[in-house]
């Protein structure tokens, strides 16, 4: 619009052309390119939002004050997402879902048939008609926490660098500052999907949250064991499954082994056995420990354990040779329980740590073979004073609490070289 300033005496008159569309002062919205569609009878706007903008247009959840229309936020889970995005350059995350009760304005582009246009989204604070979150609270909070942490660390590192006197310290701080700035710069250029559902009715909006929660099928631990390659116990799964005892006998979908499941164990349980052989039943597979292990060494250790128990226990040899089904094994032997297999794996780890040879461990396990009948009896070794708390009466498996499994491993290991 033309603008004529106040003319002072002796000055030449002039007219300025000002593009007021570029003036954002007083505006409490941001504009995004979006697609408009229908889903379930509702208008849905689909767009991509820079990570830096999330806390501007979506409310940042407060773990201490849950949204009455949403679930309580777990701060640890939120932080883990922020750390994941920050440390994995190839991160992936599903689209966020939000509700618009009338605050958004859509301006369709010409020749787009009303399907593509500019979407004005109100800011999340101090604005009438701000969006509310249907799904994605942890992603929003986690991103906010990580961006704020990086900003604070950069400020502190920059301040420390200005005070540094020694060359070595200054060099280290410069390297750290460059690393932090690079991490922040990457996040500043990345975005996440956002679907905004137009729903003015607050009751129906609550139902949307329930419907999303009810229809979302969470990933089972078995599927995580198959596809999550960030953990060595999962990454080595396919090679571990090549062993004769497991091949074709592992449930790749279910986490729980029911009595009539035709498989011996599940993929999750194979990962549990792998961890037990590598670090013990109660051991933690930390990032540092993972970095010290190689995939080849882990696979070798698990196969050595499986060789050991297949040779030591006739029932498992029969399963490996196809002479005995997993269902029949569970009906008559403790070896059909995941818990007992984990105890044996933990014992194998403990004895190897004492530099006991694999052949000697096999011979020791063979002395346990006569005591593997299920259910356990009060006269047997598993219901005596040392292990009584680890087996319920007439049980076909040990108590699965970690503390019980660890205790049982310690007792069985103390019996080496033969069962008393």
């Amino acid at each position: 619009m033309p603008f004529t300033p106040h003319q002072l005496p002796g000055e030449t008159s002039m007219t300025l052309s000002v593009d007021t569309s570029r003036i954002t002062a007083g505006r409490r919205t941001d504009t995004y390119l979006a697609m408009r569609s229908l889903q379930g009878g509702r208008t849905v706007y689909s767009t991509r939002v820079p990570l830096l903008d999330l806390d501007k247009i979506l409310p940042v959840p407060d773990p201490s004050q849950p949204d009455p229309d949403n679930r309580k936020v777990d701060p640890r889970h939120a932080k883990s997402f922020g750390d994941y995005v920050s440390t994995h350059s190839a991160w992936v995350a599903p689209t966020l879902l939000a509700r618009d009760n009338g605050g958004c304005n859509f301006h369709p582009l010409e020749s787009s048939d009303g399907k593509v246009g500019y979407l004005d989204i109100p800011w999340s604070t101090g604005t009438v008609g701000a969006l509310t979150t249907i799904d994605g609270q942890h992603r929003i909070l986690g991103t906010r926490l990580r961006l704020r942490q990086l900003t604070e660390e950069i400020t502190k590192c920059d301040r420390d660098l200005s005070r540094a006197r020694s060359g070595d310290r200054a060099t280290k701080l410069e390297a750290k500052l460059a690393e932090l700035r690079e991490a922040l710069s990457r996040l500043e250029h990345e975005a996440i999907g956002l679907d905004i559902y137009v729903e003015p009715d607050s009751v129906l909006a609550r139902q949307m949250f329930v419907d999303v929660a009810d229809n979302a099928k969470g990933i089972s631990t078995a599927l995580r064991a198959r596809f999550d390659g960030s953990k060595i116990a999962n990454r080595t799964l396919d090679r571990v499954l090549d062993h004769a005892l497991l091949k074709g006998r592992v449930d790749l979908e279910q986490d729980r082994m029911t009595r009539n499941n035709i498989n011996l164990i599940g993929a999750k349980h194979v990962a549990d056995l792998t961890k037990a052989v590598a670090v013990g039943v109660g051991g933690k597979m930390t990032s540092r420990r993972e970095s010290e292990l190689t995939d080849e060494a882990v696979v070798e250790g698990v196969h050595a354990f499986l060789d050991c128990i297949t040779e030591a226990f006739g029932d498992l040899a029969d399963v490996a040779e196809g002479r005995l089904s997993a269902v029949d094994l569970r009906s008559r032997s403790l070896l059909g329980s995941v818990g007992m297999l984990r105890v044996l794996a933990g014992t194998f780890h403990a004895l190897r740590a004492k530099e006991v040879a694999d052949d000697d461990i096999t011979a020791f396990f063979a002395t346990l073979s006569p005591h593997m009948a299920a259910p356990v009896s009060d006269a047997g070794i598993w219901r005596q004073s040392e292990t009584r708390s680890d087996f319920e009466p007439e049980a076909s498996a040990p108590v699965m609490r970690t503390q019980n499994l660890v205790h049982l491993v310690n007792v069985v290991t103390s019996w080496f070289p033969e069962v008393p």
Side-chain angles (χ1 to χ4, degrees), residues 282-403:
K284 299 294 183 182
M285 190 67 84
T286 61
S287 298
R288 178 178 178 181
R289 189 74 182 98
E290 290 233 7
S291 67
E292 296 171 348
L293 296 169
T294 65
D295 291 10
E296 291 71 22
V298 169
V299 173
E300 181 280 327
V302 181
H303 278 185
F305 164 68
L306 296 173
D307 287 342
C308 175
I309 60 176
T310 302
E311 184 178 343
F313 301 105
D315 280 347
L316 292 183
D318 287 343
V319 171
E321 294 295 329
R323 296 187 295 267
L324 180 66
S325 71
V327 174
D328 289 337
L329 177 70
R330 276 191 288 273
S331 70
R332 73 188 201 191
S333 174
L334 296 176
L335 296 168
S337 72
V338 174
M340 181 53 73
L341 294 178
R342 287 181 65 186
V343 168
L344 293 174
T347 304
F348 182 83
H349 167 81
L351 292 176
R352 263 195 164 188
K354 295 181 178 182
E355 300 185 350
V356 178
D358 289 358
D359 287 345
D360 292 334
I361 299 176
T362 302
F364 168 58
F365 280 172
T367 66
L368 288 170
S369 187
H371 305 283
M372 288 295 173
V376 296
S377 68
D378 283 341
I381 61 172
W382 306 117
R383 290 284 294 162
Q384 300 308 305
S385 58
E386 282 187 310
T387 57
R388 191 175 186 85
S389 62
D390 301 318
F391 283 88
E392 298 289 343
E394 297 295 313
S396 294
V399 176
M400 288 294 289
R401 288 191 295 266
T402 300
Q403 59 265 36

Side-chain angles (χ1 to χ4, degrees), residues 5 13 35 46 57 149 221 286 327 355 381:
S13 176
M35 294 181 60
S46 300
I57 63 173
Q149 180 184 8
T221 310
T286 61
V327 174
E355 300 185 350
I381 61 172

